Amino acid sequence: FEGINLYIGSSDNEEVGGDGMVLAADYFKENGITKDTRFVNVRHVLLRPEGGEAGADGYPVYTDEAWENCRVQADELYNQWLSGDKSEESFAEMAMNHSEDSNAVDGGLYEGVTVGQMVEEFENWCFDASRQTGDYGIVKTEFGYHLISMPYSIDGVTTYPYEDFEKFDAHAFYDQLRTGVLPNTSAIST
């Protein structure tokens, strides 16, 4: 199947068709993701201010002093990383040891992030037009300070099996793959 990038993954979610299979192309189409959509993979370490009282929206409201203490802690940790080897591996280790986010166990990695998934300040950093692979920085959001590293990014979606998706029946293609009867792949490009 050289030249065909069709991702097939499993799912227990019955809303995706009941057969337990998810075709990535279906997901992309349903969510308005096109071959021109920009995806990024980003690592981060979240440091939250201490204390805080629940605000009207249910999120904690922190004092200026708590924010300043958090900023100092973020700067210290960031400078410690900068004085080391500045590798993706050391950043992931820093996230595992210091991040207060649920993805700390994964080295702070978010994969396949698109516009609209993250809070505005985090998203603006990730999708800044000048952003390059290997960039890093600190961003303040309503949740705390994020030490961010851009290990790599993906421009476009490389898992599209057909440039004009409207003409491609992914389920029929999967059925043909499953039964061993292959379609004419000369019309399929990536």
Side-chain angles (χ1 to χ4, degrees), residues 10-148:
S10 63
S11 173
D12 295 330
N13 185 345
E14 292 186 21
E15 293 178 16
V16 297
D19 64 0
M21 299 305 294
V22 177
L23 296 169
D26 288 346
Y27 172 83
F28 295 155
K29 181 179 177 185
E30 290 167 8
N31 289 284
I33 299 170
T34 71
K35 66 182 182 65
D36 298 318
T37 299
R38 182 163 188 219
F39 289 77
V40 297
N41 296 326
V42 61
R43 289 191 186 276
H44 85 123
V45 177
L46 172 62
L47 301 174
R48 298 176 195 260
E50 292 185 15
E53 305 261 335
D57 60 1
Y59 289 105
V61 176
Y62 302 104
T63 65
D64 290 343
E65 181 181 0
W67 276 110
E68 178 60 18
N69 290 339
C70 186
R71 185 197 62 76
V72 168
Q73 181 187 7
D75 284 343
E76 288 173 358
L77 192 58
Y78 184 68
N79 288 326
Q80 184 179 22
W81 179 74
L82 288 176
S83 68
D85 67 2
K86 296 190 284 190
S87 69
E88 184 176 350
E89 292 77 21
S90 65
F91 196 96
E93 186 176 330
M94 178 174 59
M96 286 187 272
N97 293 327
H98 298 283
S99 185
E100 297 177 56
D101 198 6
S102 60
N103 71 347
V105 69
D106 298 319
L109 181 62
Y110 284 122
E111 294 182 287
V113 176
T114 61
V115 171
Q117 285 185 276
M118 301 295 184
V119 293
E120 183 178 1
E121 301 86 353
F122 192 100
E123 183 174 285
N124 288 344
W125 188 93
C126 290
F127 293 99
D128 183 288
S130 66
R131 190 65 53 227
Q132 300 279 324
T133 299
D135 284 356
Y136 43 84
I138 299 178
V139 173
K140 179 183 176 186
T141 72
E142 63 194 83
F143 298 106
Y145 281 89
H146 302 258
L147 287 63
I148 305 177

Side-chain angles (χ1 to χ4, degrees), residues 125-190:
W125 188 93
C126 290
F127 293 99
D128 183 288
S130 66
R131 190 65 53 227
Q132 300 279 324
T133 299
D135 284 356
Y136 43 84
I138 299 178
V139 173
K140 179 183 176 186
T141 72
E142 63 194 83
F143 298 106
Y145 281 89
H146 302 258
L147 287 63
I148 305 177
S149 172
M150 182 72 69
Y152 49 98
S153 65
I154 305 167
D155 286 325
V157 179
T158 58
T159 50
Y160 260 97
Y162 190 70
E163 194 160 313
D164 186 1
F165 185 75
E166 294 298 321
K167 297 178 185 173
F168 183 75
D169 184 343
H171 286 290
F173 182 76
Y174 169 69
D175 288 340
Q176 290 170 332
L177 288 175
R178 192 173 44 153
T179 61
V181 179
L182 298 178
N184 175 1
T185 57
S186 62
I188 300 172
S189 64
T190 56

